Amino acid sequence: MAQHINTKCVQAGYQPKNGEPRVPPIVQSTTYKYDSSAEMGKLFNLEATGYFYTRLQNPTNDYVAAKIAELEGGVGAMLTSSGQAASFYSIFNIAAAGDHIVSSAAIYGGTFNLFNVTMKKLGIDFTFINPDSSEEEIQAAIRPNTKAVFGETLSNPSLQVLDIERFAGVAHKNGIPLIVDNTFPTPVNLRPFEYGADIVIHSTTKYMDGHATSVGGAIVDGGSFDWAQNDKFPGLTTPDDSYHGLTYTESFGKAAYITKAVTQLMRDLGSIPSPHNAFLLNIGLETLFLRVERHCQNALAVAQYLEKHDKIAWVNYPALPGGKYYGLAQKYMPNGTSGVVCFGVKGGRDAAVQFMDSLRLAAVVTHVADSRTCVLHPASTTHRQLTDEQLAAGGIGVDLVRLSVGIEYVGDIIADIEQALGQV
Ligand SMILES: *Cc1c(COP(=O)(O)O)cnc(C)c1O
């Protein structure tokens, strides 16, 4: 029987056998012992599955990756040591120097820098388009050497909702996959594979961990994209000399993409999480459903409060009726969007800073999406490298305040906002 996502949050990924630990154990070991060189050799040839070195695979990490794959409805997942590593690998797994990627401009500032500065230095070119682009506009950005389309399902911090079906449709017409960052909605609120996305990535640092203890990321393979339909993905469809001429699509079928990410990119680049961090992530995941539900209830109440306040210039919360993304939010995230609410305080940048510095319960931190309410002014912190034009393209006004509503008692959160607005 198909289980509800709440049950999967608690139990998926690890089923102990008779007498084994009830809780996924922390296998804090870099290496694994074998009885003969021949047996270990098979592992190195990818002819047998098994653990040999934690840079490639570790049981604790794999339990947690399997849970995230089940939550998203994918065929496999890989944990990374950060969301940044997940973003990088998700593209580098199928693109090389001379290739091109079309990305939504409404993406996390760190992802934008990774794409626009660091990956460009590797020879991979990016075109950034408005997430509201029509099919024709998306198509116009695609070139013969374009290898993927990328976007955030609910953008950080601008809270723009990606029309996944539209982006997936255009990508597929061109024989390329849609990769989405689903960090903000989490699979509790949105499972992008159900709408045509092919690869899903996460910064697990946010709601999945949920307690601000561990930086981490994940890549999930939906298993549905046909990499062999054209010759755009030679890394997956032609022999890999580093594994004696093995071809990923032939040897691993639906799991070709994620297997290559583990056996090639993780082997060579090595951004693995520590098993201890994976253990903490799993504890976070166990309560993901409960927390996300409460984050969304609290955030909606806060958004409704702010909307009526005369010192507030505007509120963006996609679950709030009347907003630009309300329709798309209802379609893709009918149970809630996230705990993040963006708004402008009347008086612009100075008023925003005065408001934030007056908060007592909500802390000013460079973080988002954990259990404690926190607040940030992107234009002067996370996104300060961006020009005003780049900020505008990313949907971020200079007056934008990003409030990450926690799971405290909502009356206390609103009382804190009320007293801080009183100081403005
Ligand atoms: C935070 C974040 C990232 C980067 O993740 P790290 O874990 O901080 O490396 C990527 N995408 C989104 C949407 C994020 O919020």
Side-chain angles (χ1 to χ4, degrees), residues 80-87 106-111 150 152-157 181-185 201-206 214-217 366-369 402:
T80 57
S81 56
S82 68
Q84 286 298 103
S87 303
I107 53 176
Y108 172 70
T111 312
F150 182 95
E152 287 181 10
T153 54
L154 177 61
S155 63
N156 175 10
D181 181 334
N182 197 35
T183 297
F184 266 24
I201 64 167
H202 282 278
S203 166
T204 62
T205 317
K206 314 296 164 55
S214 315
V215 173
T366 312
H367 198 248
V368 63
R402 183 186 74 184

Side-chain angles (χ1 to χ4, degrees), residues 31-47:
T31 193
Y32 304 81
K33 183 246 174 204
Y34 285 90
D35 288 341
S36 71
S37 310
E39 285 196 54
M40 193 178 255
K42 285 184 201 153
L43 301 177
F44 276 90
N45 278 351
L46 303 184
E47 288 164 12

Side-chain angles (χ1 to χ4, degrees), residues 96-340:
D99 289 338
H100 172 255
I101 304 291
V102 172
S103 173
S104 162
I107 53 176
Y108 172 70
T111 312
F112 183 78
N113 284 329
L114 168 68
F115 290 175
N116 191 50
V117 180
T118 300
M119 288 186 79
K120 275 192 180 167
K121 285 186 196 157
L122 295 176
I124 301 173
D125 202 8
F126 287 80
T127 299
F128 296 95
I129 61 171
N130 192 314
D132 302 337
S133 294
S134 66
E135 279 179 28
E136 295 69 31
E137 287 165 331
I138 304 167
Q139 182 62 51
I142 292 178
R143 306 176 188 166
N145 60 340
T146 304
K147 296 299 169 78
V149 177
F150 182 95
E152 287 181 10
T153 54
L154 177 61
S155 63
N156 175 10
S158 60
L159 303 180
Q160 287 162 279
V161 180
L162 191 76
D163 192 338
I164 301 170
E165 287 180 344
R166 182 190 303 159
F167 275 73
V170 178
H172 295 165
K173 258 185 224 155
N174 290 276
I176 56 176
L178 173 66
I179 304 173
V180 294
D181 181 334
N182 197 35
T183 297
F184 266 24
T186 84
V188 167
N189 282 339
L190 169 62
R191 289 177 292 282
F193 295 142
E194 294 172 4
Y195 299 97
D198 302 289
I199 305 296
V200 168
I201 64 167
H202 282 278
S203 166
T204 62
T205 317
K206 314 296 164 55
Y207 289 113
M208 284 192 168
D209 170 75
H211 301 80
T213 67
S214 315
V215 173
I219 303 177
V220 192
D221 186 345
S224 55
F225 190 80
D226 178 9
W227 304 100
Q229 65 182 284
N230 53 43
D231 58 5
K232 288 181 194 280
F233 307 102
L236 287 160
T237 59
T238 63
D240 180 352
D241 291 338
S242 69
Y243 285 111
H244 304 299
L246 165 153
T247 299
Y248 291 96
T249 43
E250 284 169 13
S251 296
F252 302 104
K254 287 184 180 308
Y257 172 95
I258 201 69
T259 306
K260 177 175 180 285
V262 172
T263 59
Q264 196 185 70
L265 294 191
M266 202 52 98
R267 178 196 63 189
D268 295 350
L269 299 169
S271 314
I272 56 122
S274 79
H276 187 259
N277 274 10
F279 174 84
L280 291 172
L281 169 57
N282 184 55
I283 292 179
L285 287 168
E286 289 184 8
T287 57
L288 183 68
F289 185 89
L290 297 179
R291 288 184 290 103
V292 165
E293 197 172 50
R294 177 60 69 88
H295 278 292
C296 292
Q297 285 168 4
N298 284 358
L300 183 60
V302 166
Q304 286 165 338
Y305 167 82
L306 290 170
E307 199 182 25
K308 295 194 196 88
H309 203 289
D310 61 7
K311 288 190 180 169
I312 298 297
W314 54 270
V315 179
N316 177 12
Y317 186 64
L320 201 60
K324 181 175 172 192
Y325 292 99
Y326 182 68
L328 282 176
Q330 288 297 299
K331 173 175 176 177
Y332 290 110
M333 302 166 230
N335 297 327
T337 53
S338 78
V340 182

